Amino acid sequence: MSSRVILGATGLEVSPVCFGTWQLSPRFWGEVPKESVLAAMERAFEGGVNFFDTADAYGDGYAETVLGEFLAGKPRDRLVICTKVFNHFNPDGSRYPDLSPDHIRQRCELQLQRMGLETIDLYLLHMFDPLTPLADIAETLEALKTQGKIRHYGVSNHTVEQLRAHRCFGAYNVVQPRYNLIEADIEDDLLPYCQAENLGVMVYSPLAKGLLTGKYTGSETFTDFRKHHADFQGTRFQRLATAVRDLEPLARKHALSIYQLVLAATLMHPAVHVAVVGIKSEVQIIEALGAMGKTLSREDYFAVRKTLAIDGIAKLQDAKAERK
């Protein structure tokens, strides 16, 4: 893993570790001190990270505002900024999907203002809007590109067929799907397609909301949104946490933490260019930076996959039991 990769057909040179800002969404993660995140951003930049990812949905604009504070005074030509658009926000805090042309244009202007930018390097559709004609969306994005407000555009949280459909109308060259070594379904369809079409792939949740860091025993409780998430409950949480901790010997072999081992393995997939890592503190970004430049042998890569396959094996066993 080099310190820079080319993000598909965009030609953007980015760090394979991208600083994600979803953690600045209080309704999911609770209150995360802004100062801690800003300090982590500084450490990331000093450590070679030039790629920062956010969205207007993260704290209803709060994450973009915080990122804007960090960007102030930074050399613009040394940074690649990605944000996303999708929601129409109501005054009462409710929201609904809206990728209509007028709404995209309005949001883009507001996002540029929040982050103090003249141009957004990468603008993603956060999710699929079934109501707006795909041709209208593409025409709007192309207009923003012509006006110099965005440089490239792509999609997040889209199926391979939704992506194919979008690409009939516009130059969608980047994809941001959820992907990690226990949620790897997109290896069957989306990732092969992206590889064949030279699309930039920046995966989110590479550590599965912290589950793959190796810091959990399976007995912990949570106060954030994970308190309702199946992967962090009961026997399932215990089994997954045990499997992750079983990676310790392999991590030691490579002089890495489990976190770094998993991150390095995730980035070995030939379709995956970048891992978007949610960072709350300087300690976390220092650990993430330790995975940069690291790779595993084919044998060790598949040893990691086999160790983490316990959940898939359990699902298969459950399916067999239902057929009996």
Side-chain angles (χ1 to χ4, degrees):
M1 192 199 325
S2 67
S3 60
R4 291 289 183 269
V5 294
I6 304 298
L7 193 60
T10 67
L12 293 170
E13 296 187 18
V14 297
S15 50
V17 169
C18 175
F19 194 109
T21 60
W22 181 36
Q23 68 278 13
L24 286 168
S25 182
R27 72 192 190 107
F28 286 99
W29 294 99
E31 295 298 328
V32 175
K34 179 181 74 171
E35 294 72 18
S36 176
V37 175
L38 285 170
M41 288 177 175
E42 293 286 351
R43 181 60 66 96
F45 183 64
E46 294 167 2
V49 171
N50 75 331
F51 198 12
F52 290 79
D53 174 79
T54 189
D56 63 355
Y58 302 164
D60 294 4
Y62 177 61
E64 289 179 331
T65 301
V66 173
L67 181 58
E69 289 187 36
F70 162 74
L71 295 174
K74 291 289 185 299
R76 184 64 182 91
D77 60 346
R78 292 177 56 192
L79 292 161
V80 177
I81 307 302
C82 173
T83 192
K84 310 175 202 66
V85 62
F86 178 68
N87 291 290
H88 192 116
F89 298 92
N90 292 319
D92 64 1
S94 62
R95 54 177 72 176
Y96 59 86
D98 190 353
L99 290 178
S100 62
D102 284 347
H103 186 251
I104 291 176
R105 287 191 289 265
Q106 291 167 5
R107 297 309 296 181
C108 186
E109 289 292 345
L110 183 57
Q111 291 169 290
L112 287 166
Q113 292 172 20
R114 283 195 192 112
M115 295 185 286
L117 299 176
E118 294 183 358
T119 303
I120 295 167
D121 299 298
L122 182 54
Y123 205 44
L124 304 183
L125 308 179
H126 208 156
M127 296 181 196
F128 186 79
D129 175 4
L131 195 58
T132 306
L134 303 187
D136 292 354
I137 298 173
E139 182 180 351
T140 305
L141 294 173
E142 282 294 336
L144 291 174
K145 188 174 177 180
T146 300
Q147 294 163 14
K149 297 182 186 299
I150 66 175
R151 293 177 64 192
H152 304 277
Y153 56 89
V155 302
S156 179
N157 296 305
H158 282 54
T159 68
V160 67
E161 290 305 326
Q162 289 169 341
L163 174 60
R164 285 181 194 272
H166 270 300
R167 296 189 76 232
C168 291
F169 299 93
Y172 295 85
N173 288 322
V174 176
V175 181
Q176 187 186 72
R178 181 180 65 221
Y179 173 75
N180 55 63
L181 300 185
I182 58 173
E183 296 175 296
D185 293 350
I186 63 170
E187 289 179 343
D188 295 336
D189 46 37
L190 184 61
L191 290 185
Y193 175 74
C194 290
Q195 193 173 172
E197 296 293 317
N198 190 30
L199 303 186
V201 178
M202 48 187 296
V203 301
Y204 74 85
S205 198
L207 282 304
K209 307 170 188 68
L211 182 60
L212 294 176
T213 61
K215 64 183 179 181
Y216 298 122
T217 64
S219 61
E220 293 83 0
T221 57
F222 300 88
T223 57
D224 54 41
F225 79 104
R226 290 175 293 183
K227 66 184 177 182
H228 302 301
H229 196 289
D231 285 349
F232 295 86
Q233 308 296 321
T235 302
R236 178 178 173 81
F237 181 31
Q238 294 167 11
R239 284 176 33 250
L240 288 169
T242 298
V244 174
R245 291 168 74 88
D246 284 344
L247 292 173
E248 180 60 35
L250 261 179
R252 283 200 307 268
K253 174 183 175 181
H254 291 273
L256 299 171
S257 66
I258 291 175
Y259 178 117
Q260 292 165 338
L261 179 79
V262 169
L263 193 55
T266 301
L267 284 162
M268 284 179 65
H269 193 291
V272 175
H273 299 94
V274 172
V276 182
V277 182
I279 300 294
K280 298 179 182 178
S281 67
E282 289 185 77
V283 171
Q284 290 177 337
I285 190 58
I286 289 170
E287 186 165 24
L289 289 171
M292 299 248 289
K294 302 297 191 300
T295 190
L296 313 178
S297 67
R298 176 177 288 263
E299 180 181 7
D300 285 349
Y301 170 83
F302 283 108
V304 171
R305 297 300 298 265
K306 183 178 180 180
T307 301
L308 296 178
I310 182 170
D311 189 44
I313 292 170
K315 287 179 181 176
L316 180 62
Q317 291 172 339
D318 291 343
K320 288 180 178 177
E322 290 175 1
R323 291 197 295 266
K324 291 181 179 177

